[in-house]
């Protein structure tokens, strides 16, 4: 009887220790936005990368990080959006992102596995924007600008802004221009391009 109890306790201890090791092993594969080491490891181009966070914003269970990587070119900035992990507290799964040398960009967040299917939203991010203003236009599936939908005031510092837009249809998207741009400016630009 005592032998059976000892074996049961030993098996239970092994299961608990194995579970704890698996949990911490899995957590190490996720991004911890509060840890410089984790950011360098998960967001860096290579093992020597040092990540400088320019701005970040949390929206519901998403976190966006707008950053610069020491291993990339001088003018290039990067953006990544993360989703909070359901198992590990304060840890995030990488969902998507990209790099650019433009002053302002946007990214639509729509995923089949959460609330964003019914209610997509946008992260608008950048720095050094002319007149501290961004003009947001809707465009259709063919790339034609349909209308101006917003004008956003942004700070001098790097920024991330979260916006929800009710677009004409699910095929439409947005384009963000730096500065104050009117629908007339867009028409004049299109005429000179098609010329």
């Amino acid at each position: 009887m005592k032998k059976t109890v000892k074996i049961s306790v030993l098996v239970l201890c092994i299961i608990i220790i194995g579970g704890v090791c698996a949990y911490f092993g899995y957590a190490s594969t996720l991004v911890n936005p509060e840890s410089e080491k984790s950011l360098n490891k998960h967001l860096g181009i290579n093992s020597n990368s040092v990540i400088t966070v320019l701005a970040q914003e949390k929206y519901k269970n998403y976190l966006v990080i707008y950053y610069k990587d020491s291993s990339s070119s001088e003018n290039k900035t990067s953006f990544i959006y993360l989703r909070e992990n359901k198992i590990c507290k304060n840890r995030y799964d990488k969902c998507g992102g990209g790099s650019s040398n433009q002053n302002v960009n946007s990214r639509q967040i729509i995923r089949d596995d959460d609330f964003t299917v019914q209610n997509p939203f946008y992260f608008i991010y950048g720095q050094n924007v002319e007149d501290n203003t961004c003009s947001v236009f809707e465009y259709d599936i063919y790339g034609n600008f349909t209308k101006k939908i917003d004008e956003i005031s942004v700070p001098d510092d790097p920024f991330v802004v979260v916006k929800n837009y009710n677009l004409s249809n699910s095929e439409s998207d947005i384009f963000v221009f730096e500065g104050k741009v009117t629908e007339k400016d867009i028409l004049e630009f299109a005429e000179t391009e098609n010329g």
Side-chain angles (χ1 to χ4, degrees), residues 59-127:
Y59 180 72
K60 297 190 179 186
N61 60 335
Y62 285 91
L63 175 71
V64 63
I65 301 175
Y66 178 52
Y67 65 96
K68 201 164 184 51
D69 187 322
S70 65
S71 298
S72 67
S73 71
E74 186 68 28
N75 298 334
K76 197 173 198 180
T77 55
S78 298
F79 158 87
I80 190 165
Y81 71 98
L82 314 163
R83 187 168 61 172
E84 198 164 16
N85 187 274
K86 294 176 182 175
I87 298 171
C88 299
K89 187 175 173 138
N90 297 324
R91 298 293 187 273
Y92 291 81
D93 296 297
K94 292 192 281 187
C95 296
S99 298
S100 174
N101 59 2
Q102 296 176 323
N103 288 353
V104 66
N105 292 285
S106 68
R107 178 65 179 254
Q108 181 186 44
I109 308 302
I110 184 168
R111 295 178 54 96
D112 292 334
D113 59 350
D114 67 12
F115 72 93
T116 61
V117 168
Q118 303 301 326
N119 192 17
F121 62 93
Y122 290 87
F123 286 120
I124 298 171
Y125 56 96
Q127 62 183 338

Side-chain angles (χ1 to χ4, degrees), residues 2-195:
K2 286 184 176 184
K3 190 174 184 178
T4 306
V5 170
K6 285 183 180 180
I7 291 174
S8 297
V9 168
L10 181 63
V11 168
L12 183 62
C13 288
I14 290 171
I15 290 172
I16 290 171
I17 290 170
V20 168
C21 290
Y23 175 83
F24 285 108
Y26 175 64
S28 72
T29 66
L30 303 172
V31 179
N32 176 358
E34 297 172 12
S35 165
E36 187 177 316
K37 183 177 178 182
S38 176
L39 291 172
N40 293 341
K41 174 184 173 186
H42 294 289
L43 306 184
I45 293 172
N46 59 48
S47 60
N48 297 324
S49 292
V50 175
I51 299 301
T52 302
V53 175
L54 302 173
Q56 64 182 14
E57 184 72 31
K58 185 161 175 42
Y59 180 72
K60 297 190 179 186
N61 60 335
Y62 285 91
L63 175 71
V64 63
I65 301 175
Y66 178 52
Y67 65 96
K68 201 164 184 51
D69 187 322
S70 65
S71 298
S72 67
S73 71
E74 186 68 28
N75 298 334
K76 197 173 198 180
T77 55
S78 298
F79 158 87
I80 190 165
Y81 71 98
L82 314 163
R83 187 168 61 172
E84 198 164 16
N85 187 274
K86 294 176 182 175
I87 298 171
C88 299
K89 187 175 173 138
N90 297 324
R91 298 293 187 273
Y92 291 81
D93 296 297
K94 292 192 281 187
C95 296
S99 298
S100 174
N101 59 2
Q102 296 176 323
N103 288 353
V104 66
N105 292 285
S106 68
R107 178 65 179 254
Q108 181 186 44
I109 308 302
I110 184 168
R111 295 178 54 96
D112 292 334
D113 59 350
D114 67 12
F115 72 93
T116 61
V117 168
Q118 303 301 326
N119 192 17
F121 62 93
Y122 290 87
F123 286 120
I124 298 171
Y125 56 96
Q127 62 183 338
N128 304 324
V129 173
E130 178 184 320
D131 298 329
N132 292 68
T133 303
C134 294
S135 299
V136 183
F137 283 79
E138 178 179 351
Y139 68 90
D140 63 21
I141 191 171
Y142 305 106
N144 300 316
F145 290 102
T146 55
K147 63 183 174 184
K148 183 174 183 175
I149 56 176
D150 201 1
E151 195 168 274
I152 306 168
S153 294
V154 296
D156 286 328
D157 301 324
F159 64 89
V160 176
V161 177
V162 179
K163 289 289 191 171
N164 292 86
Y165 294 114
N166 292 321
L167 303 179
S168 300
N169 62 60
S170 62
E171 302 294 322
S172 294
D173 205 349
I174 68 167
F175 189 87
V176 183
F177 288 96
E178 181 180 353
K180 294 183 182 200
V181 178
T182 65
E183 290 178 358
K184 182 180 176 186
D185 295 332
I186 296 295
L187 288 172
E188 288 174 2
F189 176 75
E191 287 174 6
T192 58
E193 286 293 306
N194 295 331

